[in-house]
Amino acid sequence: MAPRAGKWQRVPLIPQSRQATETETVPVYSSLMREWKALGRAVPGLPDHEWDVLVTRPVWPSR
């Protein structure tokens, strides 16, 4: 709502007090990615070779 009381109005910008603050989640995610890579698991954002093999197989087995 606009700063003055009364009718609802659009506020053109989000006030600084409502801006999202950046959190320090990147190091946690980075360490998880390293651990998953070391274990051979799929990592979001990287190619998954097991999936590539599965989707290249024919749908019905050939006789």
Side-chain angles (χ1 to χ4, degrees), residues 48-59:
D48 182 2
H49 301 293
E50 186 176 351
W51 176 256
D52 293 338
V53 170
L54 286 172
V55 297
T56 56
R57 289 184 182 168
V59 179

Side-chain angles (χ1 to χ4, degrees), residues 17-35:
S17 62
R18 300 294 296 186
Q19 295 289 335
T21 58
E22 293 199 25
T23 58
E24 295 296 323
T25 57
V26 175
V28 172
Y29 183 70
S30 303
S31 66
L32 273 176
M33 284 183 61
R34 280 192 301 275
E35 184 179 336

